[in-house]
Amino acid sequence: MKILVLTWEFPPRIVGGIARHVAELYPEIVVLDHEVHLITVEFGQAPAYEVVDGVHVYRVPLAPSGDFFDWVVKMNDAMGTMGGKLIQEAITQELPFDLIHAHDWLVGDAAIALKHIFKTPLVATIHATEYGRNNGIRTEGQWYIQGKENLLTYEAWRVIVCTEFMRGEVERAFQCPSNKVDVIANGIRAEKKQFAAGFDRGTFRRQFAFDQEKIVYYVGRMAFEKGVQILVQAMPIVLWEYPATKFVIIGGGNTLGLRQQIELLGIAKHVYFTGFMQDEDLDKFQTVADCAVFPSLYEPFGIVVLESFAANVPVVVSNAGGLPEVVTNTKTGVVTRAGDAFSLAYGILEVIRHPDYAQWLRDNGRQELEKRFRWPMLAQETMVVFERVVAERKLSSWA
């Protein structure tokens, strides 16, 4: 099969989870003996064309723009032009593309245009929705994005989402038929959590906490939907019960409001903001941490949970979105009530006060990773969807 992929982020351009998703999924599809051509946006010194893990990657040049929506329009123009050139060349060589795979609304216009011009079926993966991120649609910008997401799901032959929660959200937000949606989980390359021998664990750990302290950390964006403010509210409750706790907040973004709240609570000495952390340091950090916390108010899936499984860190999560589908409460982690600081504090205390229980969660999390979230298995599930689309196209008027 020959597949054309459109994605607005791809390494080294990493904005969110899509970059890691596409970078790890398609090499496994190539291993299954399929041909993948991926169009994305130029970034830094990354070449305009290269082959990455068997995937043909094309980066289109794009002039900077002060307006986000203007930038998206220009990106779709550039991607559509490049995609049209690739599809036309393939047709000329009598080796046409079998389908187009688009990731989220930002590349939707180009994907839909290519679909209609070249009569090539379109599959869309919806990683999150504007409706879900904002708990509704209120502003003009949100309505615009909602419309683009709605159009993409309508035009797609099949829609892929990562959890049953997201299937329901796509159905509610876009009136997309449930039987048009396929649920395929996200995955992870567990081996990326391995690091070189000779690592001085004790010295590294003392950069963040005293030896007697338990390290509880959050890693991710400093966005309201991620619930970091709920973790801050839970901190005094945890410290009352277990004073030897150090909270480490990892990630870029504006933390001024969180820091001010922590100062008012009088717990600043128990909290350390690292800012952005390189993957190499994060991999090391996770081996010295005692508990990972993801208190999201909205979460389609939660790849950070899989990274914690791979790093053997016990997790405490909220029950928002798809997280309960990824974490089995009391088996692979502790699931708490979203938005409830007392529930979150209870979950953290369960982990840091009971080492044997924490080890039980670690062991089960790693086993769950191997059973459910390996990319080779998920690539096969994705190809089942692609093969269905190609078979149905042969019976359609497009044939």
Side-chain angles (χ1 to χ4, degrees):
M1 195 175 292
K2 195 169 184 178
I3 303 153
L4 179 65
V5 179
L6 303 183
T7 175
W8 75 291
E9 55 171 305
F10 182 85
R13 178 185 174 84
I14 301 175
V15 181
I18 295 177
R20 290 183 172 88
H21 178 105
V22 296
E24 297 182 2
L25 168 63
Y26 293 109
E28 298 297 338
I29 288 178
V30 171
V31 168
L32 297 174
D33 204 25
H34 302 288
E35 187 176 331
V36 178
H37 296 254
L38 183 148
I39 304 175
T40 189
V41 182
E42 68 177 355
F43 185 79
Q45 300 301 311
Y49 168 77
E50 64 177 332
V51 179
V52 181
D53 296 329
V55 177
H56 300 265
V57 179
Y58 308 82
R59 296 184 176 89
V60 296
L62 201 59
S65 175
D67 182 86
F68 172 67
F69 294 111
D70 177 65
W71 181 86
V72 172
V73 169
K74 291 177 178 176
M75 176 184 68
N76 277 271
D77 284 345
M79 285 189 171
T81 300
M82 175 60 76
K85 178 182 177 183
L86 293 175
I87 294 175
Q88 189 59 59
E89 288 177 353
I91 292 172
T92 302
Q93 297 167 8
E94 297 185 352
L95 296 169
F97 282 90
D98 293 283
L99 58 82
I100 300 163
H101 191 187
H103 290 268
D104 269 0
W105 72 272
L106 288 95
V107 300
D109 286 350
I112 292 167
L114 292 171
K115 164 198 166 180
H116 285 290
I117 293 170
F118 296 100
K119 297 295 185 288
T120 305
L122 168 63
V123 175
T125 291
I126 304 298
H127 295 267
T129 72
E130 191 71 0
Y131 176 91
R133 281 187 292 266
N134 298 286
N135 194 27
I137 301 296
R138 299 173 183 84
T139 68
E140 185 178 353
Q142 290 169 3
W143 278 111
Y144 177 84
I145 294 172
Q146 162 94 349
K148 291 295 184 182
E149 292 172 334
N150 196 354
L151 181 61
L152 179 58
T153 57
Y154 175 80
E155 291 281 355
W157 203 298
R158 302 290 302 172
V159 175
I160 296 175
V161 296
C162 54
T163 55
E164 289 293 342
F165 163 79
M166 279 301 295
R167 186 207 293 269
E169 184 168 301
V170 166
E171 186 177 359
R172 289 190 304 274
F174 311 129
Q175 292 75 54
C176 181
S178 180
N179 61 6
K180 182 180 177 177
V181 182
D182 296 290
V183 177
I184 301 176
N186 286 317
I188 189 176
R189 288 177 176 169
E191 64 273 12
K192 77 178 185 178
K193 288 300 176 184
Q194 298 173 356
F195 51 89
F199 167 51
D200 187 341
R201 187 176 182 276
T203 300
F204 185 85
R205 191 182 192 280
R206 292 183 193 105
Q207 296 179 55
F208 307 95
F210 294 114
D211 289 351
Q212 73 275 15
E213 290 181 313
K214 297 282 189 177
I215 294 179
V216 177
Y217 77 94
Y218 164 85
V219 58
R221 294 184 292 115
M222 302 301 147
F224 180 82
E225 69 199 59
K226 295 298 182 181
V228 191
Q229 66 279 5
I230 308 300
L231 174 57
V232 171
Q233 294 168 19
M235 288 176 183
I237 306 169
V238 174
L239 291 168
W240 178 263
E241 296 285 339
Y242 202 101
T245 304
K246 178 60 69 69
F247 295 94
V248 180
I249 310 298
I250 304 169
N254 187 353
T255 60
L256 179 60
L258 297 172
R259 291 174 186 267
Q260 289 175 340
Q261 188 178 358
I262 287 165
E263 288 287 347
L264 289 172
L265 291 170
I267 57 172
K269 69 178 183 179
H270 294 280
V271 187
Y272 179 35
F273 288 86
T274 71
F276 174 78
M277 187 180 288
Q278 296 288 345
D279 283 350
E280 182 180 353
D281 287 335
L282 179 59
D283 292 346
K284 292 179 180 178
F285 173 83
Q286 287 173 315
T287 67
V288 304
D290 298 286
C291 178
V293 184
F294 306 110
S296 299
L297 302 179
Y298 172 73
E299 192 67 70
F301 184 88
I303 290 180
V304 285
V305 171
L306 302 189
E307 292 177 343
S308 300
F309 286 171
N312 285 317
V313 184
V315 299
V316 176
V317 303
S318 74
N319 63 354
L323 285 171
E325 297 178 47
V326 181
V327 180
T328 303
N329 189 31
T330 72
K331 182 181 179 183
T332 62
V334 180
V335 180
T336 65
R337 292 187 297 273
D340 187 332
F342 287 95
S343 178
L344 185 66
Y346 169 81
I348 294 170
L349 288 166
E350 281 292 283
V351 171
I352 63 177
R353 288 195 299 196
H354 304 107
D356 291 344
Y357 181 48
Q359 187 59 51
W360 157 263
L361 298 177
R362 289 188 186 96
D363 295 342
N364 290 335
R366 187 71 186 209
Q367 291 173 15
E368 193 79 345
L369 195 68
E370 292 299 315
K371 286 193 296 185
R372 296 178 55 202
F373 303 112
R374 295 184 305 109
W375 278 119
M377 175 184 68
L378 301 171
Q380 291 177 0
E381 293 180 19
T382 304
M383 288 311 304
V384 169
V385 176
F386 290 175
E387 287 160 3
R388 173 179 177 174
V389 171
V390 171
E392 289 178 354
R393 181 193 184 278
K394 292 178 180 177
L395 300 177
S396 74
S397 60
W398 280 7

